[in-house]
Amino acid sequence: MSLPDRVEVVVVGAGLAGLSVATRLAAAGRDVHLVDAADHVGGRLTTERLDGFTVDRGFQVLNTGYPRAAADLDLEALDLGWFWTGAVLWVDGRAHRVVDPREHPTALLDTVRAPIGNLLREAAIGLFSARAGYLPVDRLLAAPERTAEQALRAARVGDVALERFFRPFLSGVLLESELATSSRYLDLLWRSFVRGRIGLPARGMQSVGEQLADRLPAASRHLGTEVTAVEGTGVRTAEGTTRADAVVVATDPGTASRLLPTVQAAAPRQVTTHLHVLPTSPWDAPLIVLGSPGGRLVNSVVVSDAQPAYSPDGRALVASSTLQPTTEAGVREEVARAQGVATTDLEHLTSVTVTGAQPAATVPLQHRRPVDLGGGLFVCGDHRDTPSIQGAMASGARTARAVLARLQVAR
């Protein structure tokens, strides 16, 4: 459906940030219209079906420790399948489990025996987790800022745990292996792991965005419509120009800087994910397998162990990620070693490289950047907060409040 010539608010971008804005404005009774060049909602949370398998655009998960996810989503309706909180690491040809014992007390002995340092180092890891998980957020954000690596070294987790566990685990989340990310974001991220669970929706990660979009009137959603320019408080598309009282640009950083030249594009991170099929899963628990130091793999995980609905017939769907573009043939042996199977057992399904997977969050952390640009223009997205689902949704909530305040003043 075409955009009207005149509306109250136009939101450009149907990712989680834009959806968070639009749903709040609609709930407040505002005439809000959502526009996106893609033919589906969800932004970077994209899901497709390949040979019956549910395949997300790269390995993505939903963390219920994110405050906005817990508050704004109907988690039960997403029918989440759960990963264990922890990981598997390979040392000297043996697989070792490091698992949060609060969830799985029977795995405590495995975790204590894991080769990540002596008991003092493991106690330091526990203290680091307790600090991030239970100190008030304002105290975490007021702590001296440094890089993530510096923060972990200051926490005395030890070189062994840093290289065998923290670096590969965090590389898969932060999409950078130098751990140059801000320690403040590390604290917020680790807090979410301590306080929440990691899951996958039965219909794929795109269903997170679809759940929010279902709260909007169908006539207010304009998909497959590219906004080519923002002109004052109006947007231009191939169909013409729509005027509005407020325009919200809720796109990726590059598109936002193109539409709003005063907005600086954040440096993007990238990831390549290879999807394979195995006859059966080689594991007895849904855990992420960490890449080995010096290898190309960041992690490899049987996603269907956590969410069986991702597989149409009981076979195992494996997602393996690298930070640099790689070919499937180039990492096939590493994937096989990570999963403890023969290379001939792996059936390649597809591979995808996401060049703008998320913005960087280096020192200094630019947390809660302004969303009101003045003159009825607003910008939001995870590049205005933190590079995460939480950051996108929190930015959207802040922007909705700012837009409502402006509309009230105008009225």
Side-chain angles (χ1 to χ4, degrees):
M1 184 175 294
S2 300
L3 268 169
D5 293 336
R6 186 74 172 79
V7 301
E8 199 169 16
V9 184
V10 174
V11 177
V12 183
L16 294 189
L19 288 164
S20 295
V21 175
T23 53
R24 281 175 166 78
L25 295 180
R30 298 300 184 173
D31 176 31
V32 56
H33 288 255
L34 185 69
V35 188
D36 200 295
D39 60 1
H40 62 83
V41 299
R44 294 195 298 269
L45 300 187
T46 300
T47 304
E48 61 180 326
R49 305 294 186 275
L50 290 177
D51 296 342
F53 290 93
T54 299
V55 177
D56 294 320
R57 186 169 177 252
F59 174 52
Q60 304 183 61
V61 294
L62 182 62
N63 187 337
T64 64
Y66 289 148
R68 286 268 59 91
D72 297 349
L73 298 174
D74 184 347
L75 297 177
E76 184 177 355
L78 290 173
D79 192 12
L80 293 160
W82 304 103
F83 289 100
W84 284 20
T85 303
V88 173
L89 53 96
W90 286 91
V91 178
D92 298 330
R94 289 188 56 194
H96 302 268
R97 298 194 302 186
V98 178
V99 176
D100 187 341
R102 297 174 304 164
E103 283 187 35
H104 305 283
T106 57
L108 175 61
L109 190 58
D110 288 345
T111 301
V112 171
R113 290 175 173 174
I116 57 173
N118 57 32
L119 289 177
L120 287 176
R121 298 301 190 187
E122 292 183 350
I125 294 172
L127 288 173
F128 170 78
S129 297
R131 171 188 168 276
Y134 299 108
L135 275 184
V137 170
D138 58 352
R139 287 186 61 183
L140 294 177
L141 293 175
E145 188 175 19
R146 59 193 94 184
T147 68
E149 178 171 345
Q150 290 169 338
L152 290 167
R153 292 191 183 281
R156 300 185 182 278
V157 301
D159 289 342
V160 175
L162 178 63
E163 299 304 329
R164 290 179 177 175
F165 177 73
F166 282 102
R167 193 180 302 278
F169 180 81
L170 289 171
S171 293
V173 181
L174 305 174
L175 303 187
E176 59 100 358
S177 60
E178 299 301 317
L179 301 189
T181 295
S182 166
S183 59
R184 290 177 178 172
Y185 179 47
L186 172 62
D187 283 341
L188 296 175
L189 181 67
W190 207 255
R191 180 185 185 86
S192 71
F193 288 131
V194 171
R195 299 169 74 96
R197 299 179 69 190
I198 306 300
L200 288 172
R203 294 188 296 111
M205 288 296 290
Q206 187 174 315
S207 65
V208 176
E210 291 171 344
Q211 184 185 99
L212 292 174
D214 287 344
R215 301 173 189 175
L216 298 171
S220 71
R221 305 193 301 255
H222 309 273
L223 302 178
T225 302
E226 181 182 6
V227 171
T228 57
V230 173
E231 301 170 337
T233 52
V235 298
R236 189 170 71 230
T237 69
E239 299 171 344
T241 299
T242 296
R243 296 296 172 192
D245 295 323
V247 173
V248 179
V249 175
T251 66
D252 63 273
T255 302
S257 64
R258 176 174 59 81
L259 294 175
L260 302 171
T262 60
V263 174
Q264 293 183 341
R269 303 295 191 193
Q270 70 175 26
V271 62
T272 295
T273 303
H274 303 282
L275 281 297
H276 292 92
V277 177
L278 286 171
T280 60
S281 174
W283 306 103
D284 61 358
L287 282 164
I288 296 173
V289 182
L290 303 182
S292 300
R296 287 163 293 184
L297 278 189
V298 173
N299 55 46
S300 183
V301 56
V302 180
V303 292
S304 53
D305 280 350
Q307 181 50 270
Y310 272 42
S311 171
D313 52 17
R315 287 181 292 165
L317 178 63
V318 182
S320 307
S321 301
T322 68
L323 298 185
Q324 299 298 325
T326 50
T327 64
E328 186 273 338
V331 297
R332 189 179 184 87
E333 289 188 5
E334 277 191 68
V335 174
R337 285 197 300 272
Q339 295 297 330
V341 300
T343 56
T344 53
D345 292 333
L346 294 168
E347 177 187 343
H348 183 222
L349 184 63
T350 189
S351 298
V352 59
T353 295
V354 183
T355 55
Q358 65 186 34
T362 51
V363 179
L365 180 64
Q366 298 187 36
H367 187 223
R368 295 173 182 165
R369 301 174 68 185
V371 295
D372 188 344
L373 303 181
L377 294 179
F378 300 82
V379 60
C380 69
D382 60 358
H383 55 99
R384 310 306 290 181
D385 207 281
T386 57
S388 61
I389 287 174
Q390 165 65 20
M393 297 180 73
S395 172
R398 287 196 294 124
T399 304
R401 291 193 294 269
V403 172
L404 287 171
R406 174 180 173 82
L407 295 178
Q408 185 64 33
V409 170
R411 175 175 292 182

